[in-house]
Amino acid sequence: MDWMRVIATYMVFLYHCSMFFNPFPWHIKNEMINSSYILVFSLVVGTWIMPIFFVLSGISTKYAIRKRTGKEFLKERFIQLGVPLIFGIFILSPPQVYIERVSHQQFSGTFLSFLPAYFDGLYLEIGGTGNFAFVGLHLWYLLVLLVFSALTLPLISRIKIKKDSFHLVHYLLILLVLILITHFFNFVSLGGWGIPYYLASFVIGFFYFSNDSFNKFLTKHWITISVLAVIMSAIYTKWFIIGMPEQAGGLSFLFTTVKVLSSFNSVLLFFYLANKYFQRKNDFLNFNTMFSMPMYILHQPVIVLLGFLIYQYDWPIAIKLLVLISLSFFIIILSYQLFIKRIPVLRFLFGMKVKPAINTDIHPVMKG
């Protein structure tokens, strides 16, 4: 579980670096767009990366509520999710919205002159007119997880699932549910998926992915899962690039089916590989278990700022990509080492315990 959270966090970091170069709308774009290898990376990773986080959060929630009352659980969630979210909304988001408005020719002037305008209207989409980022931009995950935790607690704390309950029929039923809710209820799309898909991923993680029979299922069917993940990801990527079908009609439903098969089987493959190859703890894991939450919170503001500083330079895309990845990571880890982990108020704002734990210092998003 720890390895999966760490790897997923680094993949989110790389994914947002790719957003600077791919054709999708984003806060700041390079003057030259890459529609080849960077776009393929964005499409493949984008199908499974955020579902992974909600599945992991579902598993973490199951273990968390075993040790806490409902009131204690929600209080802890609010402090360790809500505080970083509020910090992101009022401190980390304004510079990003300012950079977006300037680079999209929607505002001219200094950042200080923009600050009063930050509260003009709600920020709903890239290039829109509202500025107040009430979901914290990339921190929307924290808000959605907080809402899921509050809404589902009365239900998930009472329903019991047998430990040997994950079999092929459950796999097929879950796929069917995910396909139907994606096709018919794909509202409020965030990170490539609708809110219902993330809710389903959270609930599935809570009830099924934490069961003993789940690992047995992965071991038995890993070849089929791997083949489906690779083939469906390839079909989805190619189909997306040549042109998605219209929302209504049989082709649209088929496209949704391919996307869900790609996503869900990639998630399963990710779990299988982690269970097989990432079982040992080491210094790298121990460090990143603590570092993951601050990195998740800080990575996009740093990427956007650096992107704004270099987007007009006439450098080859490969050079800019290398600079963006390496320099962003250096700034993030330096900020963590010098300031965030050492200053109690910053630890609190970044979702960490104010006093370091003896062995680990883990956020409930990252570990139950």
Side-chain angles (χ1 to χ4, degrees):
M1 287 285 291
D2 292 339
W3 276 110
M4 284 188 282
R5 295 179 192 99
V6 169
I7 294 171
T9 302
Y10 277 102
M11 292 305 297
V12 166
F13 168 73
L14 294 176
Y15 176 79
H16 281 137
C17 286
S18 77
M19 289 295 294
F20 179 63
F21 301 97
N22 66 30
F24 301 142
W26 206 49
H27 310 291
I28 179 70
K29 305 296 295 187
N30 189 40
E31 289 200 337
M32 182 178 295
I33 298 301
N34 181 280
S35 296
S36 56
Y37 64 96
I38 294 180
L39 174 58
V40 170
F41 173 83
S42 302
L43 289 171
V44 172
V45 173
T47 61
W48 59 266
I49 189 61
M50 291 314 299
I52 276 284
F53 274 98
F54 281 101
V55 168
L56 291 173
S57 296
I59 299 172
S60 297
T61 298
K62 183 169 186 176
Y63 293 114
I65 63 175
R66 287 178 178 177
K67 304 174 183 179
R68 301 162 180 84
T69 65
K71 186 176 180 179
E72 291 171 340
F73 171 75
L74 291 178
K75 179 181 178 181
E76 182 180 80
R77 278 293 199 233
F78 178 78
I79 293 174
Q80 296 183 309
L81 295 174
V83 170
L85 175 64
I86 295 171
F87 174 68
I89 291 172
F90 291 99
I91 303 299
L92 299 180
S93 294
Q96 296 180 79
V97 177
Y98 168 74
I99 288 172
E100 178 184 330
R101 295 290 172 253
V102 171
S103 64
H104 287 66
Q105 289 80 50
Q106 295 174 298
F107 182 84
S108 60
T110 66
F111 175 63
L112 290 178
S113 66
F114 170 78
L115 281 179
Y118 176 66
F119 298 96
D120 293 346
L122 297 180
Y123 184 103
L124 300 176
E125 59 183 351
I126 302 290
T129 57
N131 292 329
F132 183 58
F134 64 101
V135 300
L137 299 180
H138 70 296
L139 299 182
W140 62 264
Y141 163 64
L142 303 182
L143 175 61
V144 173
L145 180 56
L146 185 60
V147 173
F148 285 176
S149 300
L151 292 181
T152 62
L153 182 61
L155 177 65
I156 63 179
S157 60
R158 289 174 172 81
I159 297 179
K160 304 297 181 182
I161 300 292
K162 295 181 179 179
K163 292 185 177 181
D164 60 346
S165 61
F166 195 90
H167 302 290
L168 183 60
V169 63
H170 298 95
Y171 166 83
L172 296 174
L173 286 174
I174 288 172
L175 275 176
L176 179 61
V177 170
L178 292 176
I179 291 169
L180 292 176
I181 65 175
T182 301
H183 187 72
F184 294 106
F185 304 99
N186 193 30
F187 57 86
V188 190
S189 181
L190 295 166
W193 297 96
I195 296 296
Y197 191 93
Y198 292 133
L199 177 58
S201 299
F202 176 80
V203 172
I204 290 167
F206 182 93
F207 285 119
Y208 291 107
F209 279 40
S210 57
N211 282 338
D212 296 337
S213 59
F214 175 67
N215 288 334
K216 295 178 182 178
F217 175 86
L218 294 182
T219 302
K220 182 178 180 179
H221 299 285
W222 75 269
I223 296 179
T224 302
I225 290 169
S226 302
V227 171
L228 283 172
V230 172
I231 292 178
M232 292 301 162
S233 295
I235 294 174
Y236 164 74
T237 302
K238 182 65 175 179
W239 199 345
F240 188 100
I241 291 174
I242 63 176
M244 295 185 297
E246 297 181 359
Q247 292 185 352
L251 276 180
S252 176
F253 185 81
L254 181 59
F255 180 80
T256 299
T257 301
V258 169
K259 182 179 180 183
V260 171
L261 283 169
S262 168
S263 174
F264 189 63
N265 284 288
S266 294
V267 170
L268 295 182
L269 179 59
F270 188 76
F271 269 80
Y272 171 76
L273 294 175
N275 285 332
K276 187 173 178 64
Y277 297 107
F278 295 97
Q279 291 287 352
R280 295 183 178 180
K281 290 188 175 183
N282 54 33
D283 291 339
F284 176 84
L285 178 62
N286 291 334
F287 172 81
N288 279 281
T289 301
M290 294 186 286
F291 176 56
S292 292
M293 187 61 178
M295 182 178 181
Y296 185 88
I297 294 171
L298 194 58
H299 78 278
Q300 182 171 294
V302 173
I303 294 170
V304 169
L305 176 59
L306 284 178
F308 183 60
L309 296 177
I310 68 173
Y311 81 107
Q312 291 181 321
Y313 289 158
D314 188 20
W315 299 346
I317 287 180
I319 297 298
K320 276 192 178 181
L321 179 62
L322 179 61
V323 169
L324 187 65
I325 292 174
S326 58
L327 193 54
S328 294
F329 182 73
F330 175 76
I331 293 173
I332 294 166
I333 199 167
L334 191 66
S335 300
Y336 172 74
Q337 290 284 64
L338 295 181
F339 304 107
I340 296 172
K341 80 172 187 178
R342 298 176 185 275
I343 302 174
V345 66
L346 289 180
R347 294 179 65 91
F348 179 68
L349 292 174
F350 279 87
M352 302 173 67
K353 295 177 182 177
V354 175
K355 293 183 179 180
I358 295 176
N359 295 317
T360 57
D361 187 353
I362 302 169
H363 187 279
V365 174
M366 303 298 166
K367 185 170 183 177

